[in-house]
Amino acid sequence: MKDKVKKIAFFMLLLLAFAVLTGSAAGYRRAQAAEAGTAQAESTPAPSPEPTPAPKALVRPVLIDYDTLWLVAEPNGNQKVFYTDKEKSGWTEAVKADNGKFYIDISWVKSTGETTLLLKGDVCEDIVKVTMPAKFTKLKAKFVKADGTIAITGAPEGTTTFQWRKATSYEWHTENISDATKAGSAFLQEIEKMRISGASLYLRLPPVQGKPAADGTLEKGVRPSKEVKVSIAKRSSAPKVKVDIAKLTVNTKKTMEYSYDGGVTWKQAEDKMQLSALAPGVLGQGSKNMKIAFRTAATSKNGYSKTMYLTIPAQQAAPVVGPVSGADVVYSTDGEKFYMTFAKATKDTKYEYTVVKAGNTLDPLKASWKAVSSSKRVSVSAKTAPAGSIIYVRRKGTNETSKLPLTLPSAMTAISVKYTKTAN
């Protein structure tokens, strides 16, 4: 029995030893395998990342020129560029210029609405869109005759400039909108030059070219607006101003104005102004010529007229008179008539006289002057010139003609009428 127990114990020891040996071998193999795996992992390179695909060679539009009506595109690796407004209608090949860019005529593109063109290349057929806006059509402009300005309305808020050209010109000029109503601006000075004969202008809002934005996209820009015709009215004719050499007045009207400084400052005229009020400097001793500008004044509906310049000559000195020879006018009486001899009177150098009876005063506007054109003695009856009357004599003036200049009548000399008999 003891032997049997010993055998069983021995057998159990053998099994235990075998188990230990077996486990150690497996662990060793696992360790070896782990080491091998680590070594293999260390010796095997990591997989490379996927390469970034090259950007597509899309056609690159770079300019929409609304002045010349060209759309310009860079090929960006393409050999050809095609365009269309409707893909189903087929594609048209653009023209390649010497600079390597492609030019597409857009003059056929309607401006009444927004239009989109499609572009593609021969290498990269991905479509690029280019959008062009509609033309602005609400602009209005009108010439204001009263002050010579141009009223511009209907422009989009924030608009600061406009362009203009003469009707028969193709050159556009750019101006600030504020200058169209700013007195004295360079623009209105240019308009003033056109008022001599009148002119027609066209106005528009300027274009903004479509150019690449910061993000690389092409901005659509702004088309020039519709053109608005503006008629610049010519100034009305200058008034015809002249001197009445008998009454020493000028045929002015209250609707006129006059200037002594060449048009820098103006004064309102009165009806039929007397030279004594309008141009006192031409009368009397020390008188001088005066040049005065005249025009019809502006009203609420019309601007001022063209300007007329009138030079009024200085008045000549009064004639010398006396009862003795040698004077310009020699007078005498026989007790019944009063005689005057205008010694220097001729057809070219006339004299004249008027009679103012006693108790009356000379009214320059109503006086009636009688001309004398020879040295033949003139007689005045006592009925026409009673004693106490005053006879005023002067050299006669001349109206301006193609042959004669304007001359004023001379200053006057007064002769008191007395019928005491004197020598002839």
Side-chain angles (χ1 to χ4, degrees):
M1 184 66 179
K2 291 180 179 180
D3 291 337
K4 185 175 180 179
V5 172
K6 290 179 179 181
K7 288 180 180 180
I8 291 172
F10 179 75
F11 181 74
M12 291 296 290
L13 289 171
L14 287 176
L15 288 177
L16 180 60
F18 180 78
V20 171
L21 291 173
T22 303
S24 299
Y28 176 77
R29 286 195 298 272
R30 285 195 298 271
Q32 291 293 320
E35 291 179 2
T38 300
Q40 183 177 5
E42 290 176 353
S43 63
T44 303
S48 302
E50 291 293 328
T52 302
K56 293 183 178 180
L58 296 171
V59 171
R60 184 184 299 123
V62 294
L63 176 65
I64 308 174
D65 192 327
Y66 292 112
D67 283 321
T68 61
L69 294 177
W70 288 107
L71 168 60
V72 183
E74 294 178 348
N76 195 25
N78 292 278
Q79 298 301 312
K80 296 180 180 181
V81 172
F82 302 91
Y83 67 94
T84 185
D85 62 334
K86 296 179 181 179
E87 193 171 0
K88 63 182 181 180
S89 299
W91 294 83
T92 301
E93 184 177 346
V95 177
K96 186 176 183 180
D98 293 340
N99 61 7
K101 296 179 182 180
F102 286 81
Y103 287 73
I104 300 170
D105 173 35
I106 56 173
S107 62
W108 56 274
V109 177
K110 293 182 179 180
S111 61
T112 53
E114 188 172 87
T115 303
T116 298
L117 290 186
L118 309 178
L119 278 65
K120 70 176 184 178
D122 59 338
V123 174
C124 178
E125 295 187 346
D126 287 14
I127 292 175
V128 176
K129 294 182 178 180
V130 175
T131 300
M132 288 168 278
K135 176 171 62 179
F136 184 77
T137 59
K138 295 182 179 180
L139 182 69
K140 294 181 179 180
K142 181 180 180 180
F143 179 69
V144 183
K145 292 192 292 183
D147 59 9
T149 61
I150 294 181
I152 300 175
T153 58
E157 185 176 355
T159 302
T160 59
T161 60
F162 72 97
Q163 293 181 320
W164 67 274
R165 65 176 176 87
K166 292 182 180 179
T168 53
S169 171
Y170 297 98
E171 181 181 2
W172 288 99
H173 307 270
T174 302
E175 310 286 350
N176 292 323
I177 283 185
S178 60
D179 286 343
T181 55
K182 183 179 179 181
S185 68
F187 170 65
L188 291 185
Q189 289 180 36
E190 195 72 12
I191 295 300
E192 180 60 31
K193 298 174 186 175
M194 304 177 197
R195 299 200 65 186
I196 296 174
S197 301
S200 293
L201 304 182
Y202 282 97
L203 271 64
R204 72 177 188 181
L205 300 182
V208 177
Q209 314 297 18
K211 295 181 179 180
D215 61 2
T217 59
L218 184 67
E219 296 178 342
K220 61 184 179 181
V222 179
R223 285 183 180 273
S225 72
K226 76 170 184 178
E227 297 180 10
V228 180
K229 186 177 182 179
V230 178
S231 296
I232 306 301
K234 69 178 181 179
R235 293 202 178 278
S236 58
S237 299
K240 295 181 179 180
V241 181
K242 60 182 180 179
V243 176
D244 184 327
I245 58 174
K247 298 179 180 180
L248 294 181
T249 59
V250 179
N251 62 332
T252 52
K253 297 180 180 179
K254 289 183 179 180
T255 54
M256 297 180 188
E257 51 190 7
Y258 61 95
S259 171
Y260 296 127
D261 54 16
V264 178
T265 58
W266 294 88
K267 296 182 179 181
Q268 183 179 354
E270 298 294 334
D271 290 338
K272 295 183 179 179
M273 295 183 71
Q274 297 185 50
L275 288 183
S276 57
L278 176 66
V282 303
L283 302 176
Q285 188 175 3
S287 61
K288 295 181 180 180
N289 295 353
M290 287 188 67
K291 186 175 183 180
I292 306 176
F294 296 90
R295 70 184 185 186
T296 302
T299 67
S300 60
K301 294 183 179 180
N302 294 296
Y304 58 82
S305 71
K306 296 176 183 177
T307 303
M308 175 191 177
Y309 293 90
L310 176 65
T311 299
I312 303 175
Q315 189 178 43
Q316 303 173 68
V320 177
V321 300
V324 296
S325 61
D328 293 307
V329 182
V330 178
Y331 62 87
S332 63
T333 179
D334 60 5
E336 297 180 357
K337 291 184 178 181
F338 197 84
Y339 300 99
M340 294 178 292
T341 301
F342 293 82
K344 299 179 181 179
T346 67
K347 290 183 179 180
D348 295 328
T349 306
K350 296 183 175 70
Y351 285 71
E352 57 188 1
Y353 68 93
T354 187
V355 178
V356 178
K357 293 182 178 181
N360 295 326
T361 57
L362 176 65
D363 185 343
L365 302 180
K366 296 181 179 180
S368 176
W369 293 84
K370 188 170 183 179
V372 179
S373 58
S374 72
S375 58
K376 183 178 178 181
R377 189 173 70 169
V378 175
S379 64
V380 181
S381 69
K383 182 179 180 180
T384 302
S389 298
I390 302 293
I391 298 179
Y392 292 94
V393 296
R394 66 186 184 184
R395 295 183 189 86
K396 183 178 174 62
T398 59
N399 291 310
E400 183 177 7
T401 66
S402 58
K403 295 181 179 180
L404 295 174
L406 169 68
T407 58
L408 296 181
S410 71
M412 300 178 294
T413 300
I415 303 173
S416 297
V417 177
K418 298 178 180 179
Y419 285 98
T420 302
K421 187 174 180 179
T422 58
N424 289 338

